Amino acid sequence: MRSRTTLAAAGVLVLLMALGGCSQNTPSNGVTDTSSPSGTTQTGAIAASPEDSLGPAPDVPGATKGGTITIIREAKISHLDPQRVYSFAGLMNAPLYTRFLTTWKDDGKGGLTLVGDLATTTGTNVNGDCKVWEYTIKDGLKFEDGRPITSKEIAYGIARSFDPDLTSGPTYLQEWLSGTPQYDTAWDFKANKTSLPPGLTTPDANTLRFEFNAPHCDLPFAASLPTSAPVPADKDTGVDYDNQPVSSGPYRITDNTPGVQLVLERNPNWDAATDPVRHQYPDKFVWTFGPDADAAVSRVIADNGPDRSAVAWSGVPASLVAKVAADPALQDRTLLSPTPSANRLTINTQRVADLSVRQALNYAIDRDGLVKTLGGETVASPITTLMPPGTLGYEQYDAYPAGSNGNIDKAKELLAGRSPELVLAAADDSQGQEVATQLKTNLEKAGFTITVKTIPADSKLDETKKKDNPWDLYVDSWAADWPSGAAILPVLFDGRTIKADGNSNSSFVNSDTVNAEFDRILALDPAQQTSQWAAVDKQIMTELAPAVPLYADVAYNAHGSKAGGLFISGIFGSPAFVNAYVKQ
Amino acid sequence: MSRPGRQPGRQPGSPTPAPGTGEKSAGNAAGQSPAQLTWRRLRRDRTAVVSGITLVLLLVIALAAPVIEWLYGIGPHDQFQQALDRYGMPVGFGGGISDEHWFGLEPGLGRDIFIRMIDGMRTSVLIAFTAATITSALGVVAGVVAGYVGGLVDSAIGWLIDLALALPFLIFALAVVPTVSLRFYGPREAVPSGFQFAVLIGIFAVFGWAGTARLVRGQVVSLREREFVDAAKVSGAGLGHILFRELLPNLWAPILVSFSLAVPAYITAEAALSFLGIGILEPTPDLGRMIERSLGYLQTDPAYVFFPGITIFVVVFAFNLFGDALRDALDPRSTR
Amino acid sequence: MGRFLVRRSFSALLTLFAVSVLTFGMFFVLPRDPVTGMCPKNCNPERLERVRQELGLSDPKVEQYLGYMKGIFLGRDLGSAQGGHCDAPCLGYSYVNNEPVSDTIARVLPVTVSIVVPAAILWLSLGIGLGMVSALRRGTWVDRAAIGFALTGASLQLYFVGGVLLLVFTYQWGMVPVPHYTPFFDNPVDWARGLVLAWVALALLFSAIYARLSRAQMLETLSEDFIRTARAKGVPRSQVYGRHALRAAITPLVTIAGLDIGAALGGTVITEITFGLQGLGRTAVGAVRSGDLPTIMATVLVAAFFIVTANLAVDLLYAAIDPRVRLGS
């Protein structure tokens, strides 16, 4: 009878279930890491002595030459053209085939030093007013075809970044040189290919000079971005340059099949003696595109064949953490590190104008529950400050001490019987929805009435950046381009930058006292600035409470048994390859 | 496939009964209407009875979800994060199975799986039944009109059917579903789950009527040349009478079969849309979304995958089994 | 026959045209403005507007549509930001992927074809074979097993099956590598190993459907008068089943199969997502999510082309076999 076959079908399924196995989960001490993520303090500064900028970079203990490192990523890297690179993958890939004016020495444990890369130092503040900067370019630098790199090629690289066709890259140098965000109309690159943008000059082959109308003490930091990478003018093919840029780094691009793979091989014309940071241990780097996070991590854990020297670009997803963390054999094949990506629950202060309500939100928040929702401590690390741990000059404080699960009673006390109705805008992807559900349940315990408004994930960022956006709360994330408070606090909380669209200050706060503090600190010498930002951080939280700091992303990446020298970049929180080698 | 499951298109082998067809089933069938004959055959078929009872049971469970929730004591939105470990994974056997949580807890949010599955079944059944009814109705009307009137109307409707089948369902669903609610609800208003249901049913209707229409049109084309239609015309019957009194009664068999196959197809399709993230949104429980999230946990919490996976399989299987039995019962020529 | 062909071809072209208009109309409802993606941080609205102008996105929609369609037949100039001149058939330039869309399609289409065609061969042979056998051995355990298999397969969810197959064969037993695509001419063995799980998953589901269909069709054919006549005439059983019954039963099946394959080639989204393969369907989904209209247009038109062509082929087949179809109104 058919019922018999039905039974058989059911039996097969039960068998499958058994294969999958119903397993027992006993909470153990599980992972891990020698230092707790949020405890790592990032120290560092601008290099004090020019010797730090000299090559060669110190040898990595145990490193051997040869082999191929494979990096597995789902989507292809959006840009290779250095003036257009701005994604994490692009920024971690760039040091392999390009060099910049300045760069970061990262010891992988939180110690960061800004050093000169193509330049001999991190820049000379000529008049002490941060308006005129000079860089001396090192001798003996060459492109992959042997031709020399001089200040002309670096200047050309910066000049072409003015081309509106070359979209997506950072815009600091362009805006500072031209003095306006409309830099592409202030100076037309296409019409002036043989000249340089205003303020940028090359007095001789070894000197590069920046002259700004306004002080920009952060130039040494901005110069570490790939906008300052050299480009030979006669090889510039515009938008097509993205396919195979000319290399100035230890590797050059030999094969670029979009969506399939990117291959980098040794550049014989890279001179280690001029480079303070990079090495050239592996023969090849191969980016393989396609597998999603689950597939990539599973492959790397399985450790078969070429995957032994592979690393999965995406972190271990929350769903696999339990398996990876519980396996002692995998302990030294994972990288665990805090990142500078900070997530906060932004409060639209135009709509939630009552400070006590904002403070109540800060008391009510259950960070522990939120971290569990996201997948635990290897995915997220709770924070109570606006600047993430790891920012230079960071100091831990808690303006609204509520304990790790929140203090509902204190929140209720502040609300004094009110039940504010707030609308939380949430992305419609699975993480956005789960976080929204968690926040809603959490905040409603304190008496808030939360309406979750779901909007398409891809447009959420654009929509919440609009001044007249209709929502009260939204989860925002921010990863500074360099680990200074200057790249975080004024950008996010200076009310004078508020415009109709594209606001990073999505809390829309505008406080004269805070703005004045920003101005004061930004006029200081960069070395002196570092210690000042923590106080402003606390001031903003205490006086304005424009957001509820939630958590910092944690990087938890897996690699094969033969991949060595990998670490998580202290600047961008992604795997860095400058020290990578293949264990023989 | 980019189509919402199989629609019976050019399906061969549909029974074509006409009034008074001679074949009698075993036993005393003299004077019984086709409906009564079908019912008798169904009752005799053991599998049909078993699957029919299962279906009724599932329907009752789905509809009585609030009662079950009241008896069980735990709601679909209650969180039990204290029972999760530091990675957000449920502690204990099989993903947290206990006498309090029969099917365990969800990782991350820590909600009860059993009650969410009951509610999820309710979502699936509701949407699938409504969608199947609407598409069948639309398809029948279109198919009858096209088949009977013929000519330019037939060509036009036929072309529309081709268009509906050529448009990629998933792409359009992806583009339209997330944004359509923004046009009906203000930016600060939450979208009720009822509206979300309506949107999904709507998009199924726009794409799903074509299959039934094609099937029905084929049947009507072959029927309209039959003698009884001529006889009705000759005796002065109006268009309405011919359509509803002569043609429709002979179409109910394929329509019924098509409906019984459409329901499981729409359950699958709705789950597929939720799998892609454009189905029913949080916090409303949904089987497809639960499976999508659980697949990532296949290696670390397989119980989380199997509960919704088996459930949806059982529901769809029961419908398919019953639909098969129904089709056999309707076709006088087939003997088990 | 000629007139029929002309009429149906005209209808097919009209369908494709309607599809292109409807898809372009999607522009009005897309969730994301793609240009804002080019300006991740510190974006300036005026500069963004200039980028939009350069890409032609500020032109009236009708003009954009006509420009796109012209490009398909005659090629068009796209401006320096999009790679200059684009030869016919120009499917546009994807400012999200930073490459001409025809390159994208050329890269992802073989993946989808490699998934669908071998899977189709598998499911057709398995399904029709099973259905035929079970019809011939009606009532026996073979028949019941086949029906059971057919019902189970039709009730399975593709992503669930895929997930379980991955767990068992790739992650636990390691018999098969993680699914990936290698071009057939590069390494046929690796091509097969990388896709075999997708083929099996699709075959499990679709062969079940075809087993049911072919069994029903075969049973119906077997009860036709001409079969009884042939048997009565003394024609040997194998000939009766092989020549007469099989031919009659197979025709409608092949036509349905043609339609299904046409539709599948249009984009096996769930298969590609479950197995992590970058094919046409997945590309289309990504394009919709990021608002990349040229890529959406191209993938939809390619998919619709397959479906419409399959429809046309099926209609022609029917017309060739059945004179009533081509003569009827």
Side-chain angles (χ1 to χ4, degrees), chain A residues 21 23-25 29 31 319 323 372 377 433-434 438 441 453 470-472, chain B residues 79 81 84 86-87 90 92-94 187-189 282 293 299-300 302 317:
Chain A
S23 45
Q24 177 86 357
N25 178 17
N29 291 326
V31 136
S319 47
K323 176 175 171 167
K372 273 193 181 159
E377 58 189 37
Q433 286 187 62
E434 278 161 34
Q438 167 70 23
T441 318
K453 181 68 186 175
W471 304 299
D472 306 315
Chain B
Q79 290 180 248
Q81 283 181 322
L84 302 177
R86 57 211 275 237
Y87 304 121
F93 171 77
R188 289 175 61 87
E189 295 173 88
E282 286 277 351
R293 182 162 184 263
Q299 297 180 66
T300 46
F317 188 80

mmCIF file of all heavy atoms in Angstrom, chain A residues 21 23-25 29 31 319 323 372 377 433-434 438 441 453 470-472, chain B residues 79 81 84 86-87 90 92-94 187-189 282 293 299-300 302 317:
data_model
loop_
_atom_site.group_PDB
_atom_site.id
_atom_site.type_symbol
_atom_site.label_atom_id
_atom_site.label_comp_id
_atom_site.label_asym_id
_atom_site.label_seq_id
_atom_site.Cartn_x
_atom_site.Cartn_y
_atom_site.Cartn_z
ATOM 1 N N GLY A 21 22.665 13.821 13.585
ATOM 2 C CA GLY A 21 22.968 13.627 15.003
ATOM 3 C C GLY A 21 22.327 14.662 15.883
ATOM 4 O O GLY A 21 22.447 15.848 15.656
ATOM 5 N N SER A 23 22.839 16.302 19.096
ATOM 6 C CA SER A 23 24.021 16.317 19.951
ATOM 7 C C SER A 23 23.728 17.028 21.248
ATOM 8 O O SER A 23 22.766 17.761 21.395
ATOM 9 C CB SER A 23 25.164 17.007 19.222
ATOM 10 O OG SER A 23 24.663 18.177 18.622
ATOM 11 N N GLN A 24 24.585 16.804 22.159
ATOM 12 C CA GLN A 24 24.463 17.380 23.484
ATOM 13 C C GLN A 24 25.344 18.614 23.574
ATOM 14 O O GLN A 24 26.493 18.577 23.195
ATOM 15 C CB GLN A 24 24.918 16.331 24.524
ATOM 16 C CG GLN A 24 24.924 16.804 25.932
ATOM 17 C CD GLN A 24 23.572 16.654 26.599
ATOM 18 O OE1 GLN A 24 22.607 16.239 25.976
ATOM 19 N NE2 GLN A 24 23.489 17.008 27.853
ATOM 20 N N ASN A 25 24.809 19.696 24.058
ATOM 21 C CA ASN A 25 25.620 20.897 24.199
ATOM 22 C C ASN A 25 25.774 21.226 25.672
ATOM 23 O O ASN A 25 24.846 21.691 26.324
ATOM 24 C CB ASN A 25 24.948 22.065 23.478
ATOM 25 C CG ASN A 25 25.729 23.358 23.648
ATOM 26 O OD1 ASN A 25 26.899 23.343 24.019
ATOM 27 N ND2 ASN A 25 25.078 24.471 23.398
ATOM 28 N N ASN A 29 34.172 25.756 29.009
ATOM 29 C CA ASN A 29 34.947 26.977 28.962
ATOM 30 C C ASN A 29 35.369 27.317 27.555
ATOM 31 O O ASN A 29 35.843 28.384 27.272
ATOM 32 C CB ASN A 29 36.192 26.850 29.861
ATOM 33 C CG ASN A 29 35.784 26.818 31.320
ATOM 34 O OD1 ASN A 29 34.817 27.465 31.702
ATOM 35 N ND2 ASN A 29 36.477 26.039 32.115
ATOM 36 N N VAL A 31 36.385 28.274 24.000
ATOM 37 C CA VAL A 31 37.444 29.027 23.401
ATOM 38 C C VAL A 31 38.239 29.763 24.394
ATOM 39 O O VAL A 31 37.665 30.528 25.092
ATOM 40 C CB VAL A 31 36.813 30.070 22.514
ATOM 41 C CG1 VAL A 31 37.437 31.381 22.668
ATOM 42 C CG2 VAL A 31 36.929 29.565 21.183
ATOM 43 N N SER A 319 26.800 30.696 13.380
ATOM 44 C CA SER A 319 26.254 29.344 13.389
ATOM 45 C C SER A 319 27.346 28.283 13.507
ATOM 46 O O SER A 319 27.074 27.160 13.895
ATOM 47 C CB SER A 319 25.446 29.124 12.113
ATOM 48 O OG SER A 319 26.192 29.564 10.998
ATOM 49 N N LYS A 323 31.178 25.036 16.911
ATOM 50 C CA LYS A 323 31.996 23.913 16.451
ATOM 51 C C LYS A 323 33.476 24.275 16.452
ATOM 52 O O LYS A 323 34.320 23.501 16.888
ATOM 53 C CB LYS A 323 31.557 23.535 15.030
ATOM 54 C CG LYS A 323 32.399 22.454 14.432
ATOM 55 C CD LYS A 323 31.861 22.031 13.087
ATOM 56 C CE LYS A 323 32.893 21.107 12.435
ATOM 57 N NZ LYS A 323 32.433 20.396 11.320
ATOM 58 N N LYS A 372 24.416 37.849 22.623
ATOM 59 C CA LYS A 372 23.990 36.461 22.406
ATOM 60 C C LYS A 372 23.215 36.329 21.117
ATOM 61 O O LYS A 372 23.368 35.368 20.368
ATOM 62 C CB LYS A 372 23.117 35.996 23.583
ATOM 63 C CG LYS A 372 23.896 35.444 24.728
ATOM 64 C CD LYS A 372 23.001 34.712 25.711
ATOM 65 C CE LYS A 372 23.858 34.189 26.869
ATOM 66 N NZ LYS A 372 23.075 33.920 28.070
ATOM 67 N N GLU A 377 30.455 36.037 22.055
ATOM 68 C CA GLU A 377 31.611 36.910 22.237
ATOM 69 C C GLU A 377 32.613 36.852 21.097
ATOM 70 O O GLU A 377 33.497 37.689 21.018
ATOM 71 C CB GLU A 377 32.305 36.542 23.536
ATOM 72 C CG GLU A 377 32.723 35.094 23.518
ATOM 73 C CD GLU A 377 33.227 34.631 24.862
ATOM 74 O OE1 GLU A 377 32.667 35.073 25.883
ATOM 75 O OE2 GLU A 377 34.184 33.845 24.880
ATOM 76 N N GLN A 433 16.808 42.055 11.256
ATOM 77 C CA GLN A 433 15.529 41.729 11.858
ATOM 78 C C GLN A 433 15.690 41.135 13.243
ATOM 79 O O GLN A 433 14.916 41.433 14.154
ATOM 80 C CB GLN A 433 14.793 40.726 10.979
ATOM 81 C CG GLN A 433 14.232 41.328 9.719
ATOM 82 C CD GLN A 433 13.392 40.317 9.011
ATOM 83 O OE1 GLN A 433 12.395 39.847 9.536
ATOM 84 N NE2 GLN A 433 13.799 39.949 7.824
ATOM 85 N N GLU A 434 16.689 40.287 13.400
ATOM 86 C CA GLU A 434 16.863 39.671 14.714
ATOM 87 C C GLU A 434 17.289 40.689 15.746
ATOM 88 O O GLU A 434 16.802 40.683 16.880
ATOM 89 C CB GLU A 434 17.897 38.547 14.636
ATOM 90 C CG GLU A 434 17.288 37.274 14.129
ATOM 91 C CD GLU A 434 18.345 36.330 13.630
ATOM 92 O OE1 GLU A 434 19.446 36.317 14.209
ATOM 93 O OE2 GLU A 434 18.056 35.617 12.658
ATOM 94 N N GLN A 438 15.275 41.707 19.160
ATOM 95 C CA GLN A 438 15.911 41.703 20.468
ATOM 96 C C GLN A 438 15.780 43.062 21.139
ATOM 97 O O GLN A 438 15.411 43.156 22.311
ATOM 98 C CB GLN A 438 17.399 41.338 20.295
ATOM 99 C CG GLN A 438 18.263 41.576 21.494
ATOM 100 C CD GLN A 438 17.978 40.623 22.615
ATOM 101 O OE1 GLN A 438 17.444 39.528 22.384
ATOM 102 N NE2 GLN A 438 18.305 41.005 23.828
ATOM 103 N N THR A 441 12.072 43.745 22.328
ATOM 104 C CA THR A 441 11.720 43.048 23.555
ATOM 105 C C THR A 441 12.435 43.652 24.755
ATOM 106 O O THR A 441 11.847 43.862 25.819
ATOM 107 C CB THR A 441 12.103 41.562 23.455
ATOM 108 O OG1 THR A 441 11.758 41.093 22.166
ATOM 109 C CG2 THR A 441 11.408 40.755 24.516
ATOM 110 N N LYS A 453 10.102 49.338 12.146
ATOM 111 C CA LYS A 453 9.786 49.609 10.738
ATOM 112 C C LYS A 453 10.878 48.983 9.890
ATOM 113 O O LYS A 453 12.038 49.348 9.988
ATOM 114 C CB LYS A 453 9.748 51.124 10.500
ATOM 115 C CG LYS A 453 9.412 51.507 9.088
ATOM 116 C CD LYS A 453 7.989 51.149 8.762
ATOM 117 C CE LYS A 453 7.695 51.398 7.297
ATOM 118 N NZ LYS A 453 6.350 50.945 6.933
ATOM 119 N N PRO A 470 12.286 59.778 8.847
ATOM 120 C CA PRO A 470 11.138 59.766 9.756
ATOM 121 C C PRO A 470 11.282 58.867 10.986
ATOM 122 O O PRO A 470 10.310 58.639 11.680
ATOM 123 C CB PRO A 470 10.013 59.234 8.865
ATOM 124 C CG PRO A 470 10.696 58.332 7.909
ATOM 125 C CD PRO A 470 12.074 58.885 7.688
ATOM 126 N N TRP A 471 12.472 58.404 11.277
ATOM 127 C CA TRP A 471 12.583 57.418 12.358
ATOM 128 C C TRP A 471 13.264 57.981 13.597
ATOM 129 O O TRP A 471 13.925 59.009 13.544
ATOM 130 C CB TRP A 471 13.362 56.203 11.834
ATOM 131 C CG TRP A 471 12.704 55.656 10.604
ATOM 132 C CD1 TRP A 471 11.435 55.157 10.503
ATOM 133 C CD2 TRP A 471 13.260 55.588 9.299
ATOM 134 N NE1 TRP A 471 11.191 54.775 9.221
ATOM 135 C CE2 TRP A 471 12.287 55.023 8.462
ATOM 136 C CE3 TRP A 471 14.494 55.949 8.759
ATOM 137 C CZ2 TRP A 471 12.493 54.817 7.102
ATOM 138 C CZ3 TRP A 471 14.717 55.734 7.407
ATOM 139 C CH2 TRP A 471 13.719 55.175 6.593
ATOM 140 N N ASP A 472 13.069 57.253 14.714
ATOM 141 C CA ASP A 472 13.635 57.715 15.978
ATOM 142 C C ASP A 472 14.926 57.001 16.330
ATOM 143 O O ASP A 472 15.816 57.567 16.950
ATOM 144 C CB ASP A 472 12.638 57.490 17.114
ATOM 145 C CG ASP A 472 11.288 58.121 16.835
ATOM 146 O OD1 ASP A 472 11.281 59.277 16.382
ATOM 147 O OD2 ASP A 472 10.259 57.466 17.069
ATOM 148 N N GLN B 79 11.362 34.980 25.009
ATOM 149 C CA GLN B 79 12.785 34.653 24.874
ATOM 150 C C GLN B 79 13.322 34.031 26.137
ATOM 151 O O GLN B 79 12.934 34.400 27.239
ATOM 152 C CB GLN B 79 13.596 35.915 24.562
ATOM 153 C CG GLN B 79 13.349 36.448 23.172
ATOM 154 C CD GLN B 79 14.167 37.688 22.901
ATOM 155 O OE1 GLN B 79 13.645 38.771 22.768
ATOM 156 N NE2 GLN B 79 15.456 37.515 22.823
ATOM 157 N N GLN B 81 16.885 33.629 26.896
ATOM 158 C CA GLN B 81 18.320 33.737 26.629
ATOM 159 C C GLN B 81 19.181 33.219 27.766
ATOM 160 O O GLN B 81 20.357 32.933 27.561
ATOM 161 C CB GLN B 81 18.684 35.186 26.307
ATOM 162 C CG GLN B 81 18.284 35.550 24.889
ATOM 163 C CD GLN B 81 18.653 36.966 24.517
ATOM 164 O OE1 GLN B 81 18.552 37.862 25.336
ATOM 165 N NE2 GLN B 81 19.069 37.152 23.287
ATOM 166 N N LEU B 84 20.855 29.996 27.041
ATOM 167 C CA LEU B 84 21.828 29.935 25.961
ATOM 168 C C LEU B 84 23.217 30.107 26.529
ATOM 169 O O LEU B 84 23.414 30.827 27.500
ATOM 170 C CB LEU B 84 21.574 31.060 24.949
ATOM 171 C CG LEU B 84 20.195 31.118 24.292
ATOM 172 C CD1 LEU B 84 20.114 32.336 23.392
ATOM 173 C CD2 LEU B 84 19.914 29.855 23.513
ATOM 174 N N ARG B 86 27.489 31.033 26.062
ATOM 175 C CA ARG B 86 28.138 32.303 25.689
ATOM 176 C C ARG B 86 28.213 32.512 24.201
ATOM 177 O O ARG B 86 28.514 33.599 23.732
ATOM 178 C CB ARG B 86 29.538 32.353 26.298
ATOM 179 C CG ARG B 86 30.393 31.186 25.890
ATOM 180 C CD ARG B 86 31.382 30.850 26.993
ATOM 181 N NE ARG B 86 32.546 31.692 26.857
ATOM 182 C CZ ARG B 86 33.777 31.245 26.722
ATOM 183 N NH1 ARG B 86 34.006 29.946 26.711
ATOM 184 N NH2 ARG B 86 34.784 32.070 26.631
ATOM 185 N N TYR B 87 27.970 31.462 23.410
ATOM 186 C CA TYR B 87 27.944 31.633 21.960
ATOM 187 C C TYR B 87 26.527 31.778 21.445
ATOM 188 O O TYR B 87 26.289 31.747 20.244
ATOM 189 C CB TYR B 87 28.611 30.432 21.269
ATOM 190 C CG TYR B 87 30.011 30.200 21.736
ATOM 191 C CD1 TYR B 87 30.382 28.989 22.310
ATOM 192 C CD2 TYR B 87 30.965 31.204 21.638
ATOM 193 C CE1 TYR B 87 31.668 28.793 22.755
ATOM 194 C CE2 TYR B 87 32.252 31.007 22.083
ATOM 195 C CZ TYR B 87 32.596 29.801 22.641
ATOM 196 O OH TYR B 87 33.868 29.612 23.093
ATOM 197 N N PRO B 90 21.814 26.993 22.328
ATOM 198 C CA PRO B 90 21.006 26.417 23.425
ATOM 199 C C PRO B 90 21.759 25.294 24.131
ATOM 200 O O PRO B 90 22.427 24.489 23.504
ATOM 201 C CB PRO B 90 19.764 25.882 22.722
ATOM 202 C CG PRO B 90 20.090 25.827 21.286
ATOM 203 C CD PRO B 90 21.212 26.753 21.018
ATOM 204 N N GLY B 92 22.108 21.913 26.348
ATOM 205 C CA GLY B 92 21.336 20.685 26.559
ATOM 206 C C GLY B 92 21.233 19.830 25.315
ATOM 207 O O GLY B 92 21.846 20.105 24.289
ATOM 208 N N PHE B 93 20.431 18.808 25.395
ATOM 209 C CA PHE B 93 20.332 17.812 24.333
ATOM 210 C C PHE B 93 19.473 18.310 23.173
ATOM 211 O O PHE B 93 18.433 18.918 23.377
ATOM 212 C CB PHE B 93 19.759 16.512 24.913
ATOM 213 C CG PHE B 93 19.425 15.493 23.874
ATOM 214 C CD1 PHE B 93 20.435 14.748 23.272
ATOM 215 C CD2 PHE B 93 18.121 15.301 23.466
ATOM 216 C CE1 PHE B 93 20.138 13.808 22.313
ATOM 217 C CE2 PHE B 93 17.823 14.363 22.498
ATOM 218 C CZ PHE B 93 18.836 13.616 21.923
ATOM 219 N N GLY B 94 19.927 18.035 21.954
ATOM 220 C CA GLY B 94 19.121 18.317 20.767
ATOM 221 C C GLY B 94 18.718 19.768 20.628
ATOM 222 O O GLY B 94 17.625 20.083 20.193
ATOM 223 N N PRO B 187 5.951 55.961 6.791
ATOM 224 C CA PRO B 187 7.295 55.533 7.166
ATOM 225 C C PRO B 187 7.435 55.186 8.632
ATOM 226 O O PRO B 187 8.407 54.547 9.013
ATOM 227 C CB PRO B 187 8.168 56.732 6.812
ATOM 228 C CG PRO B 187 7.233 57.888 6.717
ATOM 229 C CD PRO B 187 5.914 57.351 6.329
ATOM 230 N N ARG B 188 6.472 55.564 9.451
ATOM 231 C CA ARG B 188 6.603 55.240 10.863
ATOM 232 C C ARG B 188 5.633 54.147 11.299
ATOM 233 O O ARG B 188 5.571 53.808 12.452
ATOM 234 C CB ARG B 188 6.363 56.503 11.704
ATOM 235 C CG ARG B 188 7.499 57.506 11.582
ATOM 236 C CD ARG B 188 7.156 58.777 12.326
ATOM 237 N NE ARG B 188 6.946 58.545 13.752
ATOM 238 C CZ ARG B 188 7.921 58.555 14.653
ATOM 239 N NH1 ARG B 188 9.161 58.754 14.277
ATOM 240 N NH2 ARG B 188 7.649 58.358 15.921
ATOM 241 N N GLU B 189 4.866 53.633 10.347
ATOM 242 C CA GLU B 189 3.889 52.624 10.740
ATOM 243 C C GLU B 189 4.453 51.240 10.489
ATOM 244 O O GLU B 189 5.019 50.977 9.436
ATOM 245 C CB GLU B 189 2.624 52.755 9.891
ATOM 246 C CG GLU B 189 1.852 54.033 10.088
ATOM 247 C CD GLU B 189 0.734 54.090 9.072
ATOM 248 O OE1 GLU B 189 -0.347 53.562 9.372
ATOM 249 O OE2 GLU B 189 0.952 54.635 7.983
ATOM 250 N N GLU B 282 10.188 39.077 10.392
ATOM 251 C CA GLU B 282 10.157 38.979 11.846
ATOM 252 C C GLU B 282 9.169 39.974 12.397
ATOM 253 O O GLU B 282 8.958 41.031 11.825
ATOM 254 C CB GLU B 282 11.545 39.308 12.405
ATOM 255 C CG GLU B 282 12.569 38.221 12.212
ATOM 256 C CD GLU B 282 12.499 37.154 13.271
ATOM 257 O OE1 GLU B 282 11.765 37.335 14.259
ATOM 258 O OE2 GLU B 282 13.172 36.135 13.110
ATOM 259 N N ARG B 293 17.472 30.161 8.222
ATOM 260 C CA ARG B 293 18.403 30.501 9.293
ATOM 261 C C ARG B 293 19.052 29.241 9.851
ATOM 262 O O ARG B 293 20.234 29.224 10.193
ATOM 263 C CB ARG B 293 17.667 31.255 10.388
ATOM 264 C CG ARG B 293 18.596 31.668 11.497
ATOM 265 C CD ARG B 293 18.013 32.765 12.353
ATOM 266 N NE ARG B 293 18.995 33.168 13.343
ATOM 267 C CZ ARG B 293 19.036 32.711 14.606
ATOM 268 N NH1 ARG B 293 18.130 31.854 15.002
ATOM 269 N NH2 ARG B 293 19.963 33.119 15.442
ATOM 270 N N GLN B 299 25.701 22.070 11.128
ATOM 271 C CA GLN B 299 26.777 21.309 11.755
ATOM 272 C C GLN B 299 26.819 21.476 13.267
ATOM 273 O O GLN B 299 27.426 20.676 13.961
ATOM 274 C CB GLN B 299 28.132 21.755 11.188
ATOM 275 C CG GLN B 299 28.250 21.485 9.694
ATOM 276 C CD GLN B 299 29.593 21.930 9.161
ATOM 277 O OE1 GLN B 299 30.621 21.374 9.523
ATOM 278 N NE2 GLN B 299 29.592 22.939 8.309
ATOM 279 N N THR B 300 26.219 22.528 13.774
ATOM 280 C CA THR B 300 26.338 22.777 15.211
ATOM 281 C C THR B 300 25.050 22.538 15.988
ATOM 282 O O THR B 300 25.094 22.331 17.180
ATOM 283 C CB THR B 300 26.787 24.227 15.468
ATOM 284 O OG1 THR B 300 26.010 25.092 14.633
ATOM 285 C CG2 THR B 300 28.255 24.401 15.118
ATOM 286 N N PRO B 302 21.933 20.504 14.607
ATOM 287 C CA PRO B 302 21.116 19.928 13.536
ATOM 288 C C PRO B 302 19.643 19.812 13.878
ATOM 289 O O PRO B 302 18.801 19.875 12.995
ATOM 290 C CB PRO B 302 21.739 18.543 13.302
ATOM 291 C CG PRO B 302 22.737 18.343 14.357
ATOM 292 C CD PRO B 302 22.995 19.603 15.060
ATOM 293 N N PHE B 317 3.805 16.706 1.928
ATOM 294 C CA PHE B 317 3.617 15.312 1.552
ATOM 295 C C PHE B 317 2.172 14.892 1.722
ATOM 296 O O PHE B 317 1.587 14.239 0.851
ATOM 297 C CB PHE B 317 4.538 14.434 2.407
ATOM 298 C CG PHE B 317 4.574 13.005 1.980
ATOM 299 C CD1 PHE B 317 5.343 12.609 0.906
ATOM 300 C CD2 PHE B 317 3.829 12.035 2.651
ATOM 301 C CE1 PHE B 317 5.388 11.279 0.509
ATOM 302 C CE2 PHE B 317 3.868 10.714 2.251
ATOM 303 C CZ PHE B 317 4.647 10.332 1.183
#
